[in-house]
C-alpha cells in the first residue's frame, strides 16, 4: 500500500470526505485555482479600466460593448472559481475526466473582446 492510499484509508476511517482531502503534497489543484483567480481578476479589472477610458473619451458603441463583455466574462470566471475547484478536486480523487471547457471559453471570449475593443479604440482615436 502506498502512502497516498494509506492516507486516504485513514481519512475515510476518520470520517473525512475523501473527495475533499488534498491528495498531492504539491497542491497542483490549489495552484491552478489561484491561476484562474488571477486570470479572472486581471480580465475583469482590465476591462473595467478600459471601459472607463472609453467612456471618458466619449466613445460608445462597439468598443464599449466589447470592454463590457470582457468585464462580464471576467466576473463570471471569478464567480465560478470556488465551485470549479470543488468539482476538479472530486474529479481528481475519483479518477473522472476533467471538463473545464466552459471556463476556457469564458476566458477566451473575454480576452478576445478586450483585444477587439482595444483595436477599435486605437483605430478610432
Amino acid at each position: 500500500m502506498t502512502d497516498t492510499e494509506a492516507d486516504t484509508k485513514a481519512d475515510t476511517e476518520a470520517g473525512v470526505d475523501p473527495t475533499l482531502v488534498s491528495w498531492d503534497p504539491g497542491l497542483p489543484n490549489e495552484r491552478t485555482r489561484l491561476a484562474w483567480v488571477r486570470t479572472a481578476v486581471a480580465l475583469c479589472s482590465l476591462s473595467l479600466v478600459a471601459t472607463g477610458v472609453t467612456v471618458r473619451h466619449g466613445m460608445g458603441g462597439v468598443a464599449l460593448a466589447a470592454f463590457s463583455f470582457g468585464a462580464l466574462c471576467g466576473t463570471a470566471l471569478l464567480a465560478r472559481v470556488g465551485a470549479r475547484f470543488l468539482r476538479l478536486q472530486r474529479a481528481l480523487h475519483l479518477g473522472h475526466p476533467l471538463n473545464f471547457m466552459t471556463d476556457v471559453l469564458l476566458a477566451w471570449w473575454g480576452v478576445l473582446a478586450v483585444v477587439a475593443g482595444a483595436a477599435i479604440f486605437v483605430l478610432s482615436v
Side-chain angles (χ1 to χ4, degrees):
M1 181 180 301
T2 65
D3 289 339
T4 304
E5 291 171 345
D7 290 341
T8 302
K9 184 177 178 183
D11 288 336
T12 303
E13 290 172 357
V16 177
D17 185 0
T19 61
L20 299 177
V21 177
S22 180
W23 57 274
D24 185 359
L27 304 174
N29 195 24
E30 286 79 1
R31 287 192 308 258
T32 302
R33 178 179 56 99
L34 292 173
W36 278 102
V37 168
R38 284 190 305 268
T39 300
V41 167
L43 180 60
C44 190
S45 60
L46 177 66
S47 297
L48 289 175
V49 168
T51 301
V53 170
T54 302
V55 169
R56 282 195 187 114
H57 278 81
M59 298 176 62
V62 181
L64 185 61
F67 290 138
S68 298
F69 182 71
L72 181 66
C73 288
T75 303
L77 274 177
L78 195 56
R80 292 177 48 89
V81 166
R84 180 182 187 279
F85 171 75
L86 292 176
R87 276 194 329 266
L88 287 177
Q89 195 75 348
R90 284 189 184 101
L92 288 170
H93 284 287
L94 298 174
H96 294 149
L98 304 176
N99 183 4
F100 50 85
M101 197 48 123
T102 302
D103 297 323
V104 170
L105 288 175
L106 276 171
W108 272 106
W109 287 340
V111 169
L112 290 175
V114 170
V115 169
I120 293 166
F121 181 81
V122 167
L123 292 174
S124 299
V125 172

